[in-house]
Short mmCIF file of all heavy atoms in Angstrom, two decimals:
data_model
loop_
_atom_site.label_atom_id
_atom_site.label_comp_id
_atom_site.label_asym_id
_atom_site.label_seq_id
_atom_site.Cartn_x
_atom_site.Cartn_y
_atom_site.Cartn_z
N ALA A 762 -11.02 -36.48 153.77
CA ALA A 762 -9.77 -35.78 154.00
C ALA A 762 -9.97 -34.47 154.74
O ALA A 762 -10.91 -33.71 154.47
CB ALA A 762 -9.09 -35.50 152.66
N ASP A 763 -9.05 -34.20 155.67
CA ASP A 763 -8.92 -32.87 156.26
C ASP A 763 -7.92 -32.04 155.47
O ASP A 763 -8.01 -30.81 155.45
CB ASP A 763 -8.41 -32.99 157.71
CG ASP A 763 -9.40 -33.70 158.61
OD1 ASP A 763 -10.38 -33.05 159.02
OD2 ASP A 763 -9.21 -34.90 158.89
N LEU A 764 -6.97 -32.73 154.83
CA LEU A 764 -5.87 -32.06 154.15
C LEU A 764 -5.42 -32.91 152.96
O LEU A 764 -5.30 -34.13 153.08
CB LEU A 764 -4.70 -31.88 155.12
CG LEU A 764 -3.38 -31.33 154.60
CD1 LEU A 764 -3.54 -29.91 154.09
CD2 LEU A 764 -2.33 -31.39 155.70
N ILE A 765 -5.20 -32.26 151.83
CA ILE A 765 -4.65 -32.93 150.65
C ILE A 765 -3.43 -32.13 150.20
O ILE A 765 -3.51 -30.91 150.01
CB ILE A 765 -5.68 -33.03 149.51
CG1 ILE A 765 -6.86 -33.89 149.96
CG2 ILE A 765 -5.04 -33.62 148.25
CD1 ILE A 765 -8.01 -33.95 148.96
N LEU A 766 -2.32 -32.81 150.03
CA LEU A 766 -1.07 -32.18 149.60
C LEU A 766 -0.72 -32.67 148.20
O LEU A 766 -0.67 -33.88 147.95
CB LEU A 766 0.07 -32.52 150.56
CG LEU A 766 -0.13 -32.08 152.02
CD1 LEU A 766 1.02 -32.59 152.87
CD2 LEU A 766 -0.26 -30.58 152.13
N ILE A 767 -0.45 -31.73 147.31
CA ILE A 767 -0.07 -32.04 145.93
C ILE A 767 1.36 -31.54 145.72
O ILE A 767 1.63 -30.34 145.91
CB ILE A 767 -1.01 -31.34 144.92
CG1 ILE A 767 -2.48 -31.65 145.22
CG2 ILE A 767 -0.62 -31.67 143.49
CD1 ILE A 767 -2.90 -33.06 144.99
N THR A 768 2.27 -32.42 145.32
CA THR A 768 3.66 -32.02 145.15
C THR A 768 3.92 -31.30 143.83
O THR A 768 4.81 -30.46 143.75
CB THR A 768 4.61 -33.23 145.24
OG1 THR A 768 4.29 -34.17 144.20
CG2 THR A 768 4.53 -33.90 146.60
N HIS A 769 3.14 -31.64 142.79
CA HIS A 769 3.25 -30.97 141.50
C HIS A 769 2.06 -31.36 140.63
O HIS A 769 1.28 -32.23 141.01
CB HIS A 769 4.58 -31.29 140.81
CG HIS A 769 4.77 -32.74 140.47
ND1 HIS A 769 4.96 -33.72 141.42
CD2 HIS A 769 4.81 -33.38 139.27
CE1 HIS A 769 5.11 -34.89 140.83
NE2 HIS A 769 5.00 -34.71 139.52
N GLU A 770 1.95 -30.72 139.49
CA GLU A 770 0.72 -30.84 138.71
C GLU A 770 0.72 -31.91 137.62
O GLU A 770 -0.15 -31.90 136.76
CB GLU A 770 0.35 -29.47 138.11
CG GLU A 770 0.02 -28.42 139.16
CD GLU A 770 -1.17 -28.77 140.04
OE1 GLU A 770 -2.04 -29.55 139.59
OE2 GLU A 770 -1.22 -28.28 141.19
N HIS A 771 1.67 -32.85 137.64
CA HIS A 771 1.58 -33.96 136.70
C HIS A 771 0.37 -34.82 137.06
O HIS A 771 0.03 -34.99 138.24
CB HIS A 771 2.87 -34.80 136.74
CG HIS A 771 4.03 -34.11 136.10
ND1 HIS A 771 5.29 -34.65 136.08
CD2 HIS A 771 4.13 -32.93 135.44
CE1 HIS A 771 6.11 -33.83 135.43
NE2 HIS A 771 5.43 -32.77 135.05
N THR A 772 -0.26 -35.35 136.05
CA THR A 772 -1.53 -36.06 136.23
C THR A 772 -1.46 -37.18 137.26
O THR A 772 -2.42 -37.43 137.99
CB THR A 772 -2.00 -36.66 134.88
OG1 THR A 772 -2.06 -35.60 133.92
CG2 THR A 772 -3.36 -37.30 135.00
N ASP A 773 -0.32 -37.85 137.36
CA ASP A 773 -0.20 -38.99 138.27
C ASP A 773 0.08 -38.56 139.72
O ASP A 773 0.49 -39.38 140.54
CB ASP A 773 0.86 -39.97 137.79
CG ASP A 773 2.25 -39.37 137.70
OD1 ASP A 773 2.38 -38.15 137.48
OD2 ASP A 773 3.23 -40.13 137.84
N HIS A 774 -0.17 -37.30 140.03
CA HIS A 774 0.03 -36.80 141.40
C HIS A 774 -1.08 -35.88 141.87
O HIS A 774 -1.08 -35.51 143.04
CB HIS A 774 1.36 -36.03 141.49
CG HIS A 774 2.56 -36.91 141.35
ND1 HIS A 774 3.32 -37.34 142.43
CD2 HIS A 774 3.13 -37.46 140.26
CE1 HIS A 774 4.30 -38.11 141.99
NE2 HIS A 774 4.20 -38.20 140.68
N ASN A 775 -2.01 -35.48 141.03
CA ASN A 775 -2.86 -34.37 141.41
C ASN A 775 -4.37 -34.60 141.27
O ASN A 775 -5.11 -33.66 141.02
CB ASN A 775 -2.46 -33.13 140.60
CG ASN A 775 -2.86 -33.23 139.14
OD1 ASN A 775 -3.38 -34.25 138.70
ND2 ASN A 775 -2.66 -32.16 138.39
N GLN A 776 -4.81 -35.83 141.46
CA GLN A 776 -6.25 -36.12 141.30
C GLN A 776 -6.99 -35.99 142.62
O GLN A 776 -7.52 -36.95 143.17
CB GLN A 776 -6.42 -37.52 140.71
CG GLN A 776 -5.66 -37.74 139.42
CD GLN A 776 -6.09 -36.78 138.33
OE1 GLN A 776 -7.28 -36.66 138.04
NE2 GLN A 776 -5.14 -36.09 137.72
N SER A 777 -7.04 -34.76 143.14
CA SER A 777 -7.60 -34.55 144.47
C SER A 777 -9.08 -34.92 144.54
O SER A 777 -9.59 -35.26 145.61
CB SER A 777 -7.41 -33.10 144.90
OG SER A 777 -8.01 -32.21 143.99
N ASP A 778 -9.78 -34.89 143.41
CA ASP A 778 -11.22 -35.15 143.44
C ASP A 778 -11.58 -36.61 143.66
O ASP A 778 -12.74 -36.93 143.89
CB ASP A 778 -11.88 -34.65 142.15
CG ASP A 778 -11.32 -35.29 140.89
OD1 ASP A 778 -10.22 -35.89 140.95
OD2 ASP A 778 -11.96 -35.19 139.83
N ILE A 779 -10.60 -37.52 143.63
CA ILE A 779 -10.93 -38.93 143.89
C ILE A 779 -11.04 -39.22 145.38
O ILE A 779 -11.56 -40.26 145.78
CB ILE A 779 -9.93 -39.92 143.24
CG1 ILE A 779 -8.54 -39.84 143.89
CG2 ILE A 779 -9.85 -39.69 141.75
CD1 ILE A 779 -7.60 -40.94 143.41
N ALA A 780 -10.54 -38.31 146.23
CA ALA A 780 -10.57 -38.53 147.67
C ALA A 780 -11.82 -37.90 148.27
O ALA A 780 -12.18 -36.77 147.94
CB ALA A 780 -9.33 -37.93 148.32
N ALA A 781 -12.46 -38.64 149.15
CA ALA A 781 -13.56 -38.05 149.93
C ALA A 781 -12.98 -36.89 150.73
O ALA A 781 -11.85 -36.94 151.20
CB ALA A 781 -14.16 -39.10 150.85
N GLN A 782 -13.77 -35.81 150.87
CA GLN A 782 -13.27 -34.62 151.54
C GLN A 782 -14.28 -34.09 152.54
O GLN A 782 -15.48 -34.06 152.27
CB GLN A 782 -12.96 -33.53 150.51
CG GLN A 782 -11.91 -33.92 149.50
CD GLN A 782 -11.71 -32.86 148.42
OE1 GLN A 782 -11.95 -31.68 148.64
NE2 GLN A 782 -11.28 -33.29 147.24
N LYS A 783 -13.77 -33.65 153.68
CA LYS A 783 -14.62 -32.95 154.64
C LYS A 783 -14.89 -31.54 154.11
O LYS A 783 -14.17 -31.04 153.25
CB LYS A 783 -13.93 -32.90 156.00
CG LYS A 783 -13.78 -34.28 156.63
CD LYS A 783 -13.12 -34.22 157.98
CE LYS A 783 -12.95 -35.63 158.55
NZ LYS A 783 -12.16 -35.64 159.79
N ARG A 784 -15.91 -30.92 154.63
CA ARG A 784 -16.30 -29.59 154.14
C ARG A 784 -15.15 -28.58 154.27
O ARG A 784 -14.97 -27.71 153.42
CB ARG A 784 -17.52 -29.10 154.91
CG ARG A 784 -18.08 -27.80 154.36
CD ARG A 784 -19.22 -27.26 155.17
NE ARG A 784 -20.20 -28.28 155.50
CZ ARG A 784 -21.21 -28.11 156.34
NH1 ARG A 784 -21.38 -26.94 156.92
NH2 ARG A 784 -22.05 -29.08 156.59
N HIS A 785 -14.38 -28.69 155.33
CA HIS A 785 -13.29 -27.74 155.58
C HIS A 785 -11.95 -28.22 155.01
O HIS A 785 -10.91 -27.65 155.33
CB HIS A 785 -13.15 -27.51 157.09
CG HIS A 785 -12.72 -28.75 157.83
ND1 HIS A 785 -13.63 -29.65 158.32
CD2 HIS A 785 -11.51 -29.24 158.13
CE1 HIS A 785 -12.98 -30.65 158.92
NE2 HIS A 785 -11.69 -30.42 158.82
N CYS A 786 -11.95 -29.24 154.17
CA CYS A 786 -10.70 -29.81 153.65
C CYS A 786 -9.86 -28.73 152.97
O CYS A 786 -10.36 -27.96 152.14
CB CYS A 786 -11.01 -30.93 152.65
SG CYS A 786 -9.54 -31.65 151.89
N LEU A 787 -8.58 -28.70 153.32
CA LEU A 787 -7.63 -27.77 152.71
C LEU A 787 -6.79 -28.51 151.68
O LEU A 787 -6.24 -29.58 151.99
CB LEU A 787 -6.73 -27.17 153.78
CG LEU A 787 -5.61 -26.23 153.30
CD1 LEU A 787 -6.20 -24.99 152.64
CD2 LEU A 787 -4.71 -25.86 154.47
N ILE A 788 -6.70 -27.98 150.49
CA ILE A 788 -5.85 -28.56 149.45
C ILE A 788 -4.68 -27.61 149.22
O ILE A 788 -4.87 -26.43 148.91
CB ILE A 788 -6.63 -28.77 148.14
CG1 ILE A 788 -7.79 -29.74 148.37
CG2 ILE A 788 -5.70 -29.32 147.05
CD1 ILE A 788 -8.70 -29.92 147.16
N ILE A 789 -3.48 -28.12 149.43
CA ILE A 789 -2.26 -27.33 149.23
C ILE A 789 -1.54 -27.89 148.01
O ILE A 789 -1.19 -29.07 147.97
CB ILE A 789 -1.35 -27.37 150.46
CG1 ILE A 789 -2.07 -26.77 151.67
CG2 ILE A 789 -0.03 -26.63 150.18
CD1 ILE A 789 -1.30 -26.90 152.98
N ARG A 790 -1.35 -27.04 147.03
CA ARG A 790 -0.67 -27.42 145.79
C ARG A 790 0.74 -26.81 145.79
O ARG A 790 1.06 -25.95 146.61
CB ARG A 790 -1.46 -26.93 144.59
CG ARG A 790 -2.94 -27.26 144.65
CD ARG A 790 -3.69 -26.84 143.42
NE ARG A 790 -3.68 -27.92 142.44
CZ ARG A 790 -4.55 -28.93 142.44
NH1 ARG A 790 -5.51 -28.99 143.33
NH2 ARG A 790 -4.48 -29.87 141.53
#
């Protein structure tokens, strides 16, 4: 991933660690 977007913090929406990520990946919550 270059970018991961999280719409809210319920468990069924926010498991960003399951996605492979590039070093510069930005996570927006």
